[in-house]
Amino acid sequence: MDLLIVRGRARMGFEIKLTGSPKTTRSIHSAISDLKLQHLDVVHAGDQNFPLKENIRAVSLHRILADLKSMN
């Protein structure tokens, strides 16, 4: 896992993948279990957001950047 954010009792994890079609890995499942994460986002190079498994979703870096630009 590349980033852990703790806000109060919420713990959110982020994994960064260079691929456009990410998959879950044993280490992602271990991080969720060991760190007691509510969910984990896999930031990837593709164009779409989509669920990977329960509590794990793929999040497009392109969409994150577009959302940040629209906030200006």
Side-chain angles (χ1 to χ4, degrees):
M1 190 174 59
D2 297 306
L3 177 65
L4 172 66
I5 296 177
V6 179
R7 263 187 121 178
R9 292 183 175 209
R11 301 167 67 82
M12 298 168 282
F14 297 87
E15 176 81 18
I16 299 170
K17 299 287 187 187
L18 298 177
T19 181
S21 55
K23 295 178 175 46
T24 60
T25 62
R26 212 175 321 157
S27 65
I28 286 174
H29 289 284
S30 293
I32 290 171
S33 176
D34 294 347
L35 298 172
K36 298 175 177 64
L37 301 176
Q38 280 74 30
H39 72 273
L40 187 139
D41 288 333
V42 179
V43 180
H44 66 96
D47 293 327
Q48 301 296 318
N49 296 346
F50 52 91
L52 289 170
K53 298 264 182 177
E54 184 179 343
N55 300 331
I56 305 171
R57 69 178 174 167
V59 179
S60 165
L61 179 59
H62 299 292
R63 289 200 172 191
I64 292 171
L65 294 175
D67 289 347
L68 290 173
K69 285 180 184 178
S70 70
M71 295 174 123
N72 291 332

